[in-house]
Amino acid sequence: MIGKSECQTVSEATEDAIKSDAIIPTERLALLFMVMMITAAGNTAMNSTLPAISATLNISDIWVSLAFSWSAILWVYMAPKWARLSDKRGRKALMSLGLVGFIASTGLCGLILWFGLNGIIGATLTFILFAIFRSLYGALGSAAPPAIQAYVAARTQRSERTKALSLLASSFGLGTVIGPAVAHYLIFQPFGLAGPMVCFAIIAIVCILVLKFRLPQDTPQFQARGTVTAYPSGGSTQPVNEEEQEDNSDHNIVKLKWRDKRFAIWLWTGLIGGHSQAMLLGVIGFLVRDRLGLADDPVATVEAIGTVMLIGAMATLIAQWGIIPIFSLSSANAVSWGFILAILGLFLVAIGDNISTISTGFALASLGFGLFRPGFTSGTSLAVSKREQGDVAGKTASINGAAYIFAPALGVALYGINEYLCFAIMAGSLFILTLWSWKPMRHEANTV
C-alpha cells in the first residue's frame, strides 16, 4: 500500500506540470504541438460530419460506429509496437509514419465519401471502403504520439520534462475544441460534406513537410521510451506521467497482476466509466441530428453537432485545467464527483429536445468525465511504487483504449433500439459504480 507521503492530489500533479521551461527550442515544441493538435482536430471534425453523411447515404448508424471500432482495435494493438520501435528506428521517422497514416486515412476517407455522396459508387461499398481506409489511422497513425512524447522526454531534464509533456497532452484537448468548431466552415464545393476531411489531410501534408525540414534527427541528451497513447476520442486529455519516462529500462520492467488489490478498484472504475463516456461520444452526434429533425439538412446537422461537441470539449478542458487545480481535488474526489456530474448531464441529454438542453447536458456530462479521467489515471499511478509505473501506465492505456473498441457501436445499437434505454444503462452503471467504489477508493488513498 502507498504511504501518505506518496499521496499526491490531481491538483499537485497539474501544478508540477507548469513550473519550468523545456530546453527544446520553442519552434520545435510548437511544431510537435501542432502535429498532435491537427490529428485530434481532424478526428473530431470527422465525427461531426458522419451523422449527416450516414443520413444522406441512408446507411445505418451502427455501421458508421463499427468503422471506428475496427480502427480502435488496430490502435490498441499497434501503439505498443510503435512505442518500442521508436527507440530503434528513431522518433522523427515514427512521427512521419504516423502523419502519413493520418494523411492517407483522412484523405482517402474523404475521397471515398465524396464518391458515395455523388453517386459514383453505392452506399454499401462506400462504407466498406471507408472502414478499410479508416483502419490506416489505427494501424499507422498510432506511431506518432509515443514518438513525439519520447522525442521531447529524451531532450529535457527531469525537472523540465513534465511541463513539456503536459503541453503536448493539452494539444489533443485543444484539437477537440478546434475540430467541431471549424467543421461546418469546411463544407464547400466540390467536396461538400467530405470537405473537412480533405482540408485536414492537406494541412497534415504541410505539417509533414515542415517536420521533415525543420525538425532535427534524433540526437537525444537522455534516454526515454515512447509511452502508449490511448485511442484519441475527443473526450479528454491528461498530462503524461514523467516517471514512466524515467524508469523503463529492461532490467527495471515489472509485471503486475491485473487483480493487484492496490489498483484493481481503479482499473474497474476506469473500464466501466470509460465505456459510459465512449457510449455517449458515439451517440451524441446521431441524437442531435434526430432530436432537432435535421436529417434532411446536412450542413445544419454538422453545425449543430459541432456546436454541441465544442461546448463539451470546452467543459472538459475547464475541468482539467481549471476545477482540478483550483479545488485541489484528490483522485478519489475527482472520480466520484465526476460521476455525479456525468449522471446529471446524461439525464439532461436524455430528456433534451432542443439544442440548449442537449448542449447543457452534454457540457455537464463532459465536465464530469473531464474530472473522472485524470482522477482515475492519477489514482492508479499513486497506488504503486516508482519502479512499477511503467507497467501500470500500460494497463491504464489499455483500459482507456478498450473503451473505444465496442462501446461507441454498442451505444449506437442501444440508441437504435430505445434511446432512453441507452442513457439509462450509461447513467445506471455510473450510479452503481459510484456507490461501489466510494469507500474503497478513499481507503486506498489513505492507507499507510
Side-chain angles (χ1 to χ4, degrees), residues 390-437:
D391 183 81
V392 83
K395 287 178 169 55
T396 300
S398 297
I399 291 291
N400 286 333
Y404 292 92
I405 294 177
F406 297 115
L410 175 61
V412 173
L414 291 172
Y415 174 77
I417 296 171
N418 186 300
E419 56 194 69
Y420 297 108
L421 172 64
C422 174
F423 282 92
I425 290 175
M426 283 187 272
S429 63
L430 293 182
F431 180 72
I432 294 172
L433 184 60
T434 302
L435 295 180
W436 176 61
S437 65

mmCIF file of all heavy atoms in Angstrom, residues 390-437:
data_model
loop_
_atom_site.group_PDB
_atom_site.id
_atom_site.type_symbol
_atom_site.label_atom_id
_atom_site.label_comp_id
_atom_site.label_asym_id
_atom_site.label_seq_id
_atom_site.Cartn_x
_atom_site.Cartn_y
_atom_site.Cartn_z
ATOM 1 N N GLY A 390 5.801 1.980 -15.091
ATOM 2 C CA GLY A 390 5.720 1.605 -16.493
ATOM 3 C C GLY A 390 4.629 0.582 -16.749
ATOM 4 O O GLY A 390 3.844 0.705 -17.685
ATOM 5 N N ASP A 391 4.562 -0.450 -15.898
ATOM 6 C CA ASP A 391 3.561 -1.492 -16.088
ATOM 7 C C ASP A 391 2.151 -0.966 -15.859
ATOM 8 O O ASP A 391 1.236 -1.249 -16.640
ATOM 9 C CB ASP A 391 3.841 -2.653 -15.138
ATOM 10 C CG ASP A 391 2.876 -3.807 -15.350
ATOM 11 O OD1 ASP A 391 3.100 -4.608 -16.281
ATOM 12 O OD2 ASP A 391 1.889 -3.889 -14.595
ATOM 13 N N VAL A 392 1.967 -0.193 -14.802
ATOM 14 C CA VAL A 392 0.626 0.295 -14.507
ATOM 15 C C VAL A 392 0.180 1.332 -15.538
ATOM 16 O O VAL A 392 -1.005 1.457 -15.849
ATOM 17 C CB VAL A 392 0.551 0.865 -13.061
ATOM 18 C CG1 VAL A 392 1.042 2.307 -13.001
ATOM 19 C CG2 VAL A 392 -0.866 0.767 -12.511
ATOM 20 N N ALA A 393 1.144 2.075 -16.122
ATOM 21 C CA ALA A 393 0.798 3.013 -17.190
ATOM 22 C C ALA A 393 0.307 2.265 -18.422
ATOM 23 O O ALA A 393 -0.632 2.697 -19.103
ATOM 24 C CB ALA A 393 2.012 3.875 -17.548
ATOM 25 N N GLY A 394 0.924 1.116 -18.707
ATOM 26 C CA GLY A 394 0.459 0.305 -19.817
ATOM 27 C C GLY A 394 -0.943 -0.231 -19.590
ATOM 28 O O GLY A 394 -1.769 -0.270 -20.511
ATOM 29 N N LYS A 395 -1.228 -0.634 -18.358
ATOM 30 C CA LYS A 395 -2.572 -1.112 -18.036
ATOM 31 C C LYS A 395 -3.597 0.014 -18.163
ATOM 32 O O LYS A 395 -4.714 -0.186 -18.653
ATOM 33 C CB LYS A 395 -2.590 -1.688 -16.613
ATOM 34 C CG LYS A 395 -1.887 -3.036 -16.485
ATOM 35 C CD LYS A 395 -1.886 -3.528 -15.050
ATOM 36 C CE LYS A 395 -1.441 -4.975 -14.954
ATOM 37 N NZ LYS A 395 -0.141 -5.262 -15.550
ATOM 38 N N THR A 396 -3.224 1.217 -17.721
ATOM 39 C CA THR A 396 -4.121 2.367 -17.846
ATOM 40 C C THR A 396 -4.420 2.669 -19.306
ATOM 41 O O THR A 396 -5.568 2.915 -19.684
ATOM 42 C CB THR A 396 -3.491 3.603 -17.174
ATOM 43 O OG1 THR A 396 -3.257 3.336 -15.799
ATOM 44 C CG2 THR A 396 -4.418 4.809 -17.284
ATOM 45 N N ALA A 397 -3.384 2.649 -20.137
ATOM 46 C CA ALA A 397 -3.576 2.911 -21.566
ATOM 47 C C ALA A 397 -4.459 1.848 -22.200
ATOM 48 O O ALA A 397 -5.305 2.153 -23.063
ATOM 49 C CB ALA A 397 -2.226 2.974 -22.271
ATOM 50 N N SER A 398 -4.294 0.592 -21.785
ATOM 51 C CA SER A 398 -5.124 -0.484 -22.321
ATOM 52 C C SER A 398 -6.587 -0.293 -21.940
ATOM 53 O O SER A 398 -7.487 -0.497 -22.755
ATOM 54 C CB SER A 398 -4.625 -1.837 -21.810
ATOM 55 O OG SER A 398 -3.322 -2.100 -22.268
ATOM 56 N N ILE A 399 -6.822 0.116 -20.695
ATOM 57 C CA ILE A 399 -8.193 0.362 -20.245
ATOM 58 C C ILE A 399 -8.812 1.498 -21.047
ATOM 59 O O ILE A 399 -9.963 1.414 -21.507
ATOM 60 C CB ILE A 399 -8.209 0.710 -18.736
ATOM 61 C CG1 ILE A 399 -7.840 -0.523 -17.902
ATOM 62 C CG2 ILE A 399 -9.564 1.271 -18.315
ATOM 63 C CD1 ILE A 399 -8.880 -1.612 -17.904
ATOM 64 N N ASN A 400 -8.042 2.583 -21.228
ATOM 65 C CA ASN A 400 -8.551 3.721 -21.994
ATOM 66 C C ASN A 400 -8.871 3.330 -23.433
ATOM 67 O O ASN A 400 -9.894 3.732 -24.001
ATOM 68 C CB ASN A 400 -7.528 4.860 -21.989
ATOM 69 C CG ASN A 400 -7.462 5.575 -20.656
ATOM 70 O OD1 ASN A 400 -8.431 5.610 -19.911
ATOM 71 N ND2 ASN A 400 -6.310 6.141 -20.337
ATOM 72 N N GLY A 401 -7.989 2.558 -24.032
ATOM 73 C CA GLY A 401 -8.201 2.163 -25.416
ATOM 74 C C GLY A 401 -9.338 1.172 -25.572
ATOM 75 O O GLY A 401 -10.108 1.236 -26.542
ATOM 76 N N ALA A 402 -9.468 0.241 -24.627
ATOM 77 C CA ALA A 402 -10.502 -0.786 -24.714
ATOM 78 C C ALA A 402 -11.901 -0.182 -24.761
ATOM 79 O O ALA A 402 -12.812 -0.737 -25.399
ATOM 80 C CB ALA A 402 -10.382 -1.743 -23.528
ATOM 81 N N ALA A 403 -12.090 0.956 -24.096
ATOM 82 C CA ALA A 403 -13.413 1.579 -24.048
ATOM 83 C C ALA A 403 -13.909 2.006 -25.422
ATOM 84 O O ALA A 403 -15.119 2.095 -25.652
ATOM 85 C CB ALA A 403 -13.393 2.783 -23.107
ATOM 86 N N TYR A 404 -12.983 2.258 -26.345
ATOM 87 C CA TYR A 404 -13.385 2.775 -27.656
ATOM 88 C C TYR A 404 -13.400 1.717 -28.752
ATOM 89 O O TYR A 404 -13.522 2.031 -29.924
ATOM 90 C CB TYR A 404 -12.476 3.952 -28.041
ATOM 91 C CG TYR A 404 -12.735 5.128 -27.143
ATOM 92 C CD1 TYR A 404 -11.992 5.304 -25.976
ATOM 93 C CD2 TYR A 404 -13.767 6.016 -27.411
ATOM 94 C CE1 TYR A 404 -12.270 6.351 -25.114
ATOM 95 C CE2 TYR A 404 -14.040 7.065 -26.562
ATOM 96 C CZ TYR A 404 -13.289 7.228 -25.410
ATOM 97 O OH TYR A 404 -13.567 8.257 -24.557
ATOM 98 N N ILE A 405 -13.303 0.442 -28.354
ATOM 99 C CA ILE A 405 -13.374 -0.630 -29.339
ATOM 100 C C ILE A 405 -14.833 -0.957 -29.664
ATOM 101 O O ILE A 405 -15.254 -0.932 -30.823
ATOM 102 C CB ILE A 405 -12.623 -1.873 -28.829
ATOM 103 C CG1 ILE A 405 -11.130 -1.573 -28.719
ATOM 104 C CG2 ILE A 405 -12.846 -3.054 -29.771
ATOM 105 C CD1 ILE A 405 -10.307 -2.713 -28.156
ATOM 106 N N PHE A 406 -15.624 -1.268 -28.647
ATOM 107 C CA PHE A 406 -17.001 -1.682 -28.887
ATOM 108 C C PHE A 406 -18.048 -0.739 -28.292
ATOM 109 O O PHE A 406 -19.199 -0.736 -28.738
ATOM 110 C CB PHE A 406 -17.236 -3.093 -28.328
ATOM 111 C CG PHE A 406 -16.406 -4.146 -29.000
ATOM 112 C CD1 PHE A 406 -15.436 -4.833 -28.289
ATOM 113 C CD2 PHE A 406 -16.565 -4.434 -30.345
ATOM 114 C CE1 PHE A 406 -14.655 -5.794 -28.905
ATOM 115 C CE2 PHE A 406 -15.794 -5.390 -30.974
ATOM 116 C CZ PHE A 406 -14.834 -6.079 -30.245
ATOM 117 N N ALA A 407 -17.667 0.046 -27.276
ATOM 118 C CA ALA A 407 -18.659 0.870 -26.581
ATOM 119 C C ALA A 407 -19.386 1.860 -27.488
ATOM 120 O O ALA A 407 -20.613 1.990 -27.387
ATOM 121 C CB ALA A 407 -18.017 1.600 -25.400
ATOM 122 N N PRO A 408 -18.706 2.609 -28.381
ATOM 123 C CA PRO A 408 -19.454 3.527 -29.245
ATOM 124 C C PRO A 408 -20.480 2.814 -30.110
ATOM 125 O O PRO A 408 -21.628 3.278 -30.244
ATOM 126 C CB PRO A 408 -18.355 4.180 -30.101
ATOM 127 C CG PRO A 408 -17.127 4.080 -29.265
ATOM 128 C CD PRO A 408 -17.243 2.764 -28.573
ATOM 129 N N ALA A 409 -20.084 1.674 -30.702
ATOM 130 C CA ALA A 409 -21.027 0.916 -31.532
ATOM 131 C C ALA A 409 -22.161 0.343 -30.685
ATOM 132 O O ALA A 409 -23.328 0.320 -31.115
ATOM 133 C CB ALA A 409 -20.298 -0.203 -32.268
ATOM 134 N N LEU A 410 -21.838 -0.110 -29.475
ATOM 135 C CA LEU A 410 -22.874 -0.619 -28.578
ATOM 136 C C LEU A 410 -23.854 0.481 -28.222
ATOM 137 O O LEU A 410 -25.080 0.257 -28.193
ATOM 138 C CB LEU A 410 -22.230 -1.187 -27.311
ATOM 139 C CG LEU A 410 -23.193 -1.666 -26.213
ATOM 140 C CD1 LEU A 410 -24.071 -2.802 -26.731
ATOM 141 C CD2 LEU A 410 -22.412 -2.106 -24.971
ATOM 142 N N GLY A 411 -23.325 1.674 -27.931
ATOM 143 C CA GLY A 411 -24.197 2.791 -27.613
ATOM 144 C C GLY A 411 -25.140 3.126 -28.755
ATOM 145 O O GLY A 411 -26.336 3.348 -28.542
ATOM 146 N N VAL A 412 -24.624 3.141 -29.979
ATOM 147 C CA VAL A 412 -25.460 3.440 -31.144
ATOM 148 C C VAL A 412 -26.500 2.349 -31.351
ATOM 149 O O VAL A 412 -27.655 2.627 -31.712
ATOM 150 C CB VAL A 412 -24.586 3.617 -32.402
ATOM 151 C CG1 VAL A 412 -25.456 3.763 -33.654
ATOM 152 C CG2 VAL A 412 -23.686 4.847 -32.252
ATOM 153 N N ALA A 413 -26.111 1.083 -31.136
ATOM 154 C CA ALA A 413 -27.054 -0.026 -31.284
ATOM 155 C C ALA A 413 -28.194 0.095 -30.269
ATOM 156 O O ALA A 413 -29.375 -0.070 -30.616
ATOM 157 C CB ALA A 413 -26.333 -1.354 -31.120
ATOM 158 N N LEU A 414 -27.855 0.391 -29.007
ATOM 159 C CA LEU A 414 -28.880 0.573 -27.981
ATOM 160 C C LEU A 414 -29.746 1.787 -28.274
ATOM 161 O O LEU A 414 -30.964 1.768 -28.053
ATOM 162 C CB LEU A 414 -28.221 0.718 -26.607
ATOM 163 C CG LEU A 414 -27.554 -0.532 -26.039
ATOM 164 C CD1 LEU A 414 -26.773 -0.187 -24.772
ATOM 165 C CD2 LEU A 414 -28.595 -1.606 -25.754
ATOM 166 N N TYR A 415 -29.115 2.836 -28.793
ATOM 167 C CA TYR A 415 -29.854 4.041 -29.159
ATOM 168 C C TYR A 415 -30.870 3.724 -30.248
ATOM 169 O O TYR A 415 -31.989 4.248 -30.251
ATOM 170 C CB TYR A 415 -28.870 5.110 -29.627
ATOM 171 C CG TYR A 415 -29.517 6.364 -30.170
ATOM 172 C CD1 TYR A 415 -30.069 7.314 -29.320
ATOM 173 C CD2 TYR A 415 -29.567 6.594 -31.548
ATOM 174 C CE1 TYR A 415 -30.656 8.464 -29.812
ATOM 175 C CE2 TYR A 415 -30.156 7.743 -32.056
ATOM 176 C CZ TYR A 415 -30.694 8.672 -31.191
ATOM 177 O OH TYR A 415 -31.282 9.810 -31.695
ATOM 178 N N GLY A 416 -30.486 2.845 -31.185
ATOM 179 C CA GLY A 416 -31.416 2.458 -32.246
ATOM 180 C C GLY A 416 -32.589 1.653 -31.736
ATOM 181 O O GLY A 416 -33.690 1.726 -32.283
ATOM 182 N N ILE A 417 -32.356 0.880 -30.665
ATOM 183 C CA ILE A 417 -33.444 0.084 -30.075
ATOM 184 C C ILE A 417 -34.364 0.965 -29.241
ATOM 185 O O ILE A 417 -35.584 0.968 -29.408
ATOM 186 C CB ILE A 417 -32.855 -1.046 -29.206
ATOM 187 C CG1 ILE A 417 -32.044 -2.013 -30.076
ATOM 188 C CG2 ILE A 417 -33.969 -1.781 -28.467
ATOM 189 C CD1 ILE A 417 -31.262 -3.034 -29.277
ATOM 190 N N ASN A 418 -33.759 1.709 -28.321
ATOM 191 C CA ASN A 418 -34.526 2.616 -27.458
ATOM 192 C C ASN A 418 -33.545 3.631 -26.869
ATOM 193 O O ASN A 418 -32.668 3.259 -26.079
ATOM 194 C CB ASN A 418 -35.233 1.842 -26.338
ATOM 195 C CG ASN A 418 -36.150 2.723 -25.512
ATOM 196 O OD1 ASN A 418 -35.721 3.695 -24.903
ATOM 197 N ND2 ASN A 418 -37.434 2.386 -25.488
ATOM 198 N N GLU A 419 -33.712 4.879 -27.239
ATOM 199 C CA GLU A 419 -32.749 5.893 -26.819
ATOM 200 C C GLU A 419 -32.721 6.096 -25.312
ATOM 201 O O GLU A 419 -31.665 6.390 -24.733
ATOM 202 C CB GLU A 419 -33.029 7.221 -27.518
ATOM 203 C CG GLU A 419 -34.430 7.762 -27.329
ATOM 204 C CD GLU A 419 -34.729 8.882 -28.307
ATOM 205 O OE1 GLU A 419 -34.848 8.599 -29.501
ATOM 206 O OE2 GLU A 419 -34.821 10.038 -27.851
ATOM 207 N N TYR A 420 -33.859 5.915 -24.653
ATOM 208 C CA TYR A 420 -33.888 6.089 -23.201
ATOM 209 C C TYR A 420 -33.203 4.919 -22.500
ATOM 210 O O TYR A 420 -32.565 5.095 -21.455
ATOM 211 C CB TYR A 420 -35.328 6.244 -22.723
ATOM 212 C CG TYR A 420 -35.994 7.480 -23.271
ATOM 213 C CD1 TYR A 420 -36.985 7.379 -24.257
ATOM 214 C CD2 TYR A 420 -35.608 8.748 -22.837
ATOM 215 C CE1 TYR A 420 -37.580 8.526 -24.785
ATOM 216 C CE2 TYR A 420 -36.205 9.891 -23.360
ATOM 217 C CZ TYR A 420 -37.183 9.773 -24.338
ATOM 218 O OH TYR A 420 -37.764 10.902 -24.863
ATOM 219 N N LEU A 421 -33.316 3.723 -23.078
ATOM 220 C CA LEU A 421 -32.616 2.565 -22.527
ATOM 221 C C LEU A 421 -31.115 2.791 -22.580
ATOM 222 O O LEU A 421 -30.386 2.465 -21.631
ATOM 223 C CB LEU A 421 -32.995 1.310 -23.321
ATOM 224 C CG LEU A 421 -32.201 0.035 -22.986
ATOM 225 C CD1 LEU A 421 -32.478 -0.391 -21.545
ATOM 226 C CD2 LEU A 421 -32.553 -1.078 -23.973
ATOM 227 N N CYS A 422 -30.660 3.355 -23.669
ATOM 228 C CA CYS A 422 -29.233 3.637 -23.839
ATOM 229 C C CYS A 422 -28.712 4.527 -22.718
ATOM 230 O O CYS A 422 -27.694 4.224 -22.079
ATOM 231 C CB CYS A 422 -29.009 4.296 -25.201
ATOM 232 S SG CYS A 422 -27.330 4.870 -25.496
ATOM 233 N N PHE A 423 -29.416 5.617 -22.438
ATOM 234 C CA PHE A 423 -28.966 6.552 -21.412
ATOM 235 C C PHE A 423 -29.175 5.988 -20.009
ATOM 236 O O PHE A 423 -28.414 6.301 -19.085
ATOM 237 C CB PHE A 423 -29.676 7.897 -21.575
ATOM 238 C CG PHE A 423 -29.107 8.715 -22.685
ATOM 239 C CD1 PHE A 423 -29.623 8.633 -23.966
ATOM 240 C CD2 PHE A 423 -28.020 9.547 -22.464
ATOM 241 C CE1 PHE A 423 -29.087 9.372 -25.002
ATOM 242 C CE2 PHE A 423 -27.476 10.292 -23.491
ATOM 243 C CZ PHE A 423 -27.999 10.201 -24.772
ATOM 244 N N ALA A 424 -30.197 5.144 -19.840
ATOM 245 C CA ALA A 424 -30.423 4.514 -18.538
ATOM 246 C C ALA A 424 -29.267 3.581 -18.190
ATOM 247 O O ALA A 424 -28.821 3.523 -17.032
ATOM 248 C CB ALA A 424 -31.736 3.738 -18.552
ATOM 249 N N ILE A 425 -28.742 2.868 -19.184
ATOM 250 C CA ILE A 425 -27.615 1.963 -18.948
ATOM 251 C C ILE A 425 -26.359 2.768 -18.607
ATOM 252 O O ILE A 425 -25.615 2.418 -17.675
ATOM 253 C CB ILE A 425 -27.381 1.070 -20.176
ATOM 254 C CG1 ILE A 425 -28.525 0.065 -20.305
ATOM 255 C CG2 ILE A 425 -26.040 0.354 -20.074
ATOM 256 C CD1 ILE A 425 -28.455 -0.787 -21.542
ATOM 257 N N MET A 426 -26.107 3.847 -19.342
ATOM 258 C CA MET A 426 -24.943 4.679 -19.063
ATOM 259 C C MET A 426 -25.007 5.263 -17.660
ATOM 260 O O MET A 426 -24.053 5.149 -16.871
ATOM 261 C CB MET A 426 -24.840 5.809 -20.099
ATOM 262 C CG MET A 426 -24.303 5.399 -21.448
ATOM 263 S SD MET A 426 -24.018 6.834 -22.520
ATOM 264 C CE MET A 426 -25.624 7.009 -23.280
ATOM 265 N N ALA A 427 -26.121 5.911 -17.338
ATOM 266 C CA ALA A 427 -26.252 6.569 -16.039
ATOM 267 C C ALA A 427 -26.320 5.544 -14.908
ATOM 268 O O ALA A 427 -25.722 5.742 -13.839
ATOM 269 C CB ALA A 427 -27.492 7.456 -16.023
ATOM 270 N N GLY A 428 -27.029 4.432 -15.144
ATOM 271 C CA GLY A 428 -27.166 3.409 -14.112
ATOM 272 C C GLY A 428 -25.838 2.774 -13.746
ATOM 273 O O GLY A 428 -25.544 2.542 -12.565
ATOM 274 N N SER A 429 -25.004 2.508 -14.754
ATOM 275 C CA SER A 429 -23.698 1.905 -14.475
ATOM 276 C C SER A 429 -22.820 2.864 -13.678
ATOM 277 O O SER A 429 -22.087 2.442 -12.773
ATOM 278 C CB SER A 429 -23.013 1.514 -15.783
ATOM 279 O OG SER A 429 -22.752 2.645 -16.592
ATOM 280 N N LEU A 430 -22.893 4.159 -13.982
ATOM 281 C CA LEU A 430 -22.114 5.143 -13.227
ATOM 282 C C LEU A 430 -22.618 5.270 -11.791
ATOM 283 O O LEU A 430 -21.823 5.417 -10.853
ATOM 284 C CB LEU A 430 -22.175 6.510 -13.915
ATOM 285 C CG LEU A 430 -21.490 6.629 -15.272
ATOM 286 C CD1 LEU A 430 -21.606 8.064 -15.787
ATOM 287 C CD2 LEU A 430 -20.025 6.226 -15.198
ATOM 288 N N PHE A 431 -23.925 5.214 -11.606
ATOM 289 C CA PHE A 431 -24.507 5.320 -10.263
ATOM 290 C C PHE A 431 -24.070 4.139 -9.397
ATOM 291 O O PHE A 431 -23.617 4.316 -8.250
ATOM 292 C CB PHE A 431 -26.027 5.374 -10.359
ATOM 293 C CG PHE A 431 -26.718 5.480 -9.027
ATOM 294 C CD1 PHE A 431 -26.685 6.661 -8.296
ATOM 295 C CD2 PHE A 431 -27.396 4.393 -8.505
ATOM 296 C CE1 PHE A 431 -27.309 6.757 -7.061
ATOM 297 C CE2 PHE A 431 -28.024 4.477 -7.275
ATOM 298 C CZ PHE A 431 -27.988 5.659 -6.553
ATOM 299 N N ILE A 432 -24.182 2.924 -9.941
ATOM 300 C CA ILE A 432 -23.779 1.728 -9.199
ATOM 301 C C ILE A 432 -22.275 1.766 -8.906
ATOM 302 O O ILE A 432 -21.827 1.443 -7.800
ATOM 303 C CB ILE A 432 -24.144 0.456 -9.987
ATOM 304 C CG1 ILE A 432 -25.676 0.333 -10.085
ATOM 305 C CG2 ILE A 432 -23.543 -0.783 -9.332
ATOM 306 C CD1 ILE A 432 -26.136 -0.785 -10.997
ATOM 307 N N LEU A 433 -21.504 2.196 -9.902
ATOM 308 C CA LEU A 433 -20.054 2.271 -9.736
ATOM 309 C C LEU A 433 -19.677 3.278 -8.657
ATOM 310 O O LEU A 433 -18.756 3.041 -7.864
ATOM 311 C CB LEU A 433 -19.405 2.660 -11.063
ATOM 312 C CG LEU A 433 -17.869 2.691 -11.108
ATOM 313 C CD1 LEU A 433 -17.294 1.314 -10.780
ATOM 314 C CD2 LEU A 433 -17.390 3.153 -12.474
ATOM 315 N N THR A 434 -20.391 4.394 -8.597
ATOM 316 C CA THR A 434 -20.116 5.412 -7.578
ATOM 317 C C THR A 434 -20.350 4.859 -6.182
ATOM 318 O O THR A 434 -19.526 5.045 -5.266
ATOM 319 C CB THR A 434 -20.994 6.653 -7.801
ATOM 320 O OG1 THR A 434 -20.755 7.178 -9.111
ATOM 321 C CG2 THR A 434 -20.692 7.731 -6.775
ATOM 322 N N LEU A 435 -21.476 4.168 -5.986
ATOM 323 C CA LEU A 435 -21.780 3.589 -4.682
ATOM 324 C C LEU A 435 -20.768 2.514 -4.303
ATOM 325 O O LEU A 435 -20.342 2.416 -3.147
ATOM 326 C CB LEU A 435 -23.189 2.984 -4.703
ATOM 327 C CG LEU A 435 -24.350 3.963 -4.896
ATOM 328 C CD1 LEU A 435 -25.674 3.201 -4.902
ATOM 329 C CD2 LEU A 435 -24.369 5.024 -3.805
ATOM 330 N N TRP A 436 -20.360 1.711 -5.285
ATOM 331 C CA TRP A 436 -19.452 0.591 -5.027
ATOM 332 C C TRP A 436 -18.027 1.051 -4.726
ATOM 333 O O TRP A 436 -17.330 0.473 -3.888
ATOM 334 C CB TRP A 436 -19.461 -0.344 -6.239
ATOM 335 C CG TRP A 436 -18.494 -1.474 -6.139
ATOM 336 C CD1 TRP A 436 -18.464 -2.476 -5.184
ATOM 337 C CD2 TRP A 436 -17.389 -1.736 -7.010
ATOM 338 N NE1 TRP A 436 -17.407 -3.332 -5.426
ATOM 339 C CE2 TRP A 436 -16.742 -2.909 -6.537
ATOM 340 C CE3 TRP A 436 -16.899 -1.101 -8.150
ATOM 341 C CZ2 TRP A 436 -15.619 -3.451 -7.165
ATOM 342 C CZ3 TRP A 436 -15.787 -1.642 -8.775
ATOM 343 C CH2 TRP A 436 -15.164 -2.800 -8.292
ATOM 344 N N SER A 437 -17.582 2.097 -5.405
ATOM 345 C CA SER A 437 -16.171 2.489 -5.311
ATOM 346 C C SER A 437 -15.894 3.604 -4.305
ATOM 347 O O SER A 437 -14.735 3.896 -4.016
ATOM 348 C CB SER A 437 -15.674 2.940 -6.689
ATOM 349 O OG SER A 437 -16.357 4.115 -7.116
#
